[in-house]
Amino acid sequence: MPMQTVRTNPIEGQKPGTSGLRKKTAIFMRPHYLENYVQATFDGIGGVAGKTLVIGGDGRYFNQRAIQVILRMAAANQAKHCIVGQDGILSTPAASNLIRTRGADGGLILSASHNPGGPEADFGLKFNGPNGGPATEGVTDKIFECTKSIEVYKIAASPDANISDLGTGDMNGMTVEVIDPIAAYTTAVEKLFDFAKIRALFASGFSMRFDAMHAVTGPYAHAILEGVLGAPSGTVINGTPSPDFGGGHPDPNPIWAKELMDEMHGPAAPDFGAASDGDGDRNMIVGRNCYVTPSDSLALLAAKAHLAPGYKDGLAGVARSMPTSRAVDRVAESLGIACYETPTGWKFFGNLLDAGKATLCGEESAGTGSDHVREKDGLWAVLLWLNILAETGQSVSDLMAELWASHGRCYYSRLDYEDVDSDKAGAMMDALRAKLPDLAGRKIGDVVCEMADEFAYDDPVDGSRSTGQGIRLILKGGGRAIFRLSGTGTAGSTIRVYLEQLETDPSKLKMEPAQALAQVRAAALGISDLEAITGRSAPDVVT
Ligand code: VG1
Ligand code: CO
């Protein structure tokens, strides 16, 4: 079958961010744009000749067409075998699982995660390595270098592969295997949890609402929660994936999952609520009248994971991204296990998981996961919560109250200033960076700064160093304020300000978070001059 070598020129700005390359869909659909990035990815990983790749995405607009392009390019670059989710669907954790269980050389995941989808919205593509995890910084650097020097890409002139029917086909000598995206994932998580106990919990009348936000976890949640675990139908809402996520923002937080939040705080609230994002790697947990911050969820899961069969021998260690609250550090200390602090982005957990140094990992942005895959896993977190609820018989709010009473409470909030003029965002960070050397010991507003620096990470496994990972101010009395620029936005710059305040006084564990964080917030906004420099008087999103 004919194969084309197409001459091309580098396209500026194809630099992968926090998790892959994320751009407006219309940009991805420009002539040669996707092709250039895919070829740069293939070249950056040393070619794909003879290799096996897993391919799938979150079903957003352009997903299927992009998969056909990637398949033709993989065939022309002499890949041996592509494993594709039926209809092009694979959640991010399911793709990670497949790469691992099938011994693939890597995978391409098509998603812009929690960013909206559709012709006017966002698209994304990321490469995951043979361990199933997001490409390391070393690999993404190589891919980026290739985007700058690319001269040709290779593509087979073959008709579309049939990816709607399960089975095996051929494209230009490459095997295209279409698999059930749910079955292998279910097998992987089933081993970790006491499904009989969770089934008994639902049978006893325990009620739950899972909001799939019109995104990829819908089919997984229907199959596992309502199918295997016997939750009544109607437990899963918004469970059919749509190319534009029902016109919504598939980001599981109190702002974008408002429908669920309202129900959980209403008169007929179910016992347990949860939501997941576009590609199924994030989770939100909410009890009856009780929103659980992702940082607190990580801490609770670390404290109770041993109640689930997959973790019955305890945890080797835990890891959190730097801006994630230090609640899990306190749990790790009481368990006598190590706690690692990494830069933002799941790729930094890969080495710790591979080396057996950490069992559980998490981020403040609603990501939690374990060593069962190399991505965060939304449904996994929900299942672990269910296992803990079934085992303890306690409510979500009782579990949280108990955790705070024993370990203190880390009040936490994140302010997002979106689509800020990039020069202004850069200027704000530069100005703050310049102040860092003089901040230690100084009073900022009503609080005293104990330490101020720009976070850098030395990977304890491979010795690599990552610099410029966020400015942090550690405050006396258990406070922290962190500033970083997002690496997943597609318009201007997004400034994230993370606020944290530890409280151990038993009489102050039920405050309004905004009140508990007022001093830290005033200090952060004061010292950074954020509002004056960017011209923004309020954040766009507060979580
Ligand atoms: C955000 C989150 C980060 C997460 C990343 C990918 O990155 O803050 O914690 O790992 O999204 O998540 P940033 O650079 O915008 O802050 V997902 O669910 O989009 O793959
Ligand atoms: Co995601």
Side-chain angles (χ1 to χ4, degrees), residues 22 92 111-114 126 277-282 376:
R22 233 169 255 192
T92 288
S111 172
S113 188
H114 54 290
K126 61 177 170 177
D277 75 331
D279 61 331
D281 56 0
R282 297 188 179 202
K376 51 191 187 264

Side-chain angles (χ1 to χ4, degrees), residues 461-482:
V461 181
D462 67 16
S464 62
R465 185 173 177 80
S466 306
T467 56
Q469 298 294 332
I471 291 177
R472 56 177 181 175
L473 312 181
I474 312 249
L475 308 169
K476 284 223 164 89
R480 229 170 39 136
I482 289 146

Side-chain angles (χ1 to χ4, degrees), residues 18-19 22 112-114 126 277 279 281-282 321 344-346 363-365 376 414 484-489 496 498:
T18 313
S19 56
R22 233 169 255 192
S113 188
H114 54 290
K126 61 177 170 177
D277 75 331
D279 61 331
D281 56 0
R282 297 188 179 202
S321 66
T344 294
W346 210 262
E363 294 193 278
E364 52 65 41
S365 54
K376 51 191 187 264
R414 187 178 95 183
R484 54 178 287 283
L485 299 184
S486 154
T488 59
R496 302 203 195 284
Y498 309 80

Side-chain angles (χ1 to χ4, degrees), residues 414-430:
R414 187 178 95 183
L415 319 179
D416 292 333
Y417 297 80
E418 294 174 349
D419 199 3
V420 174
D421 178 275
S422 293
D423 291 339
K424 289 183 181 164
M428 190 280 289
M429 292 294 280
D430 285 344

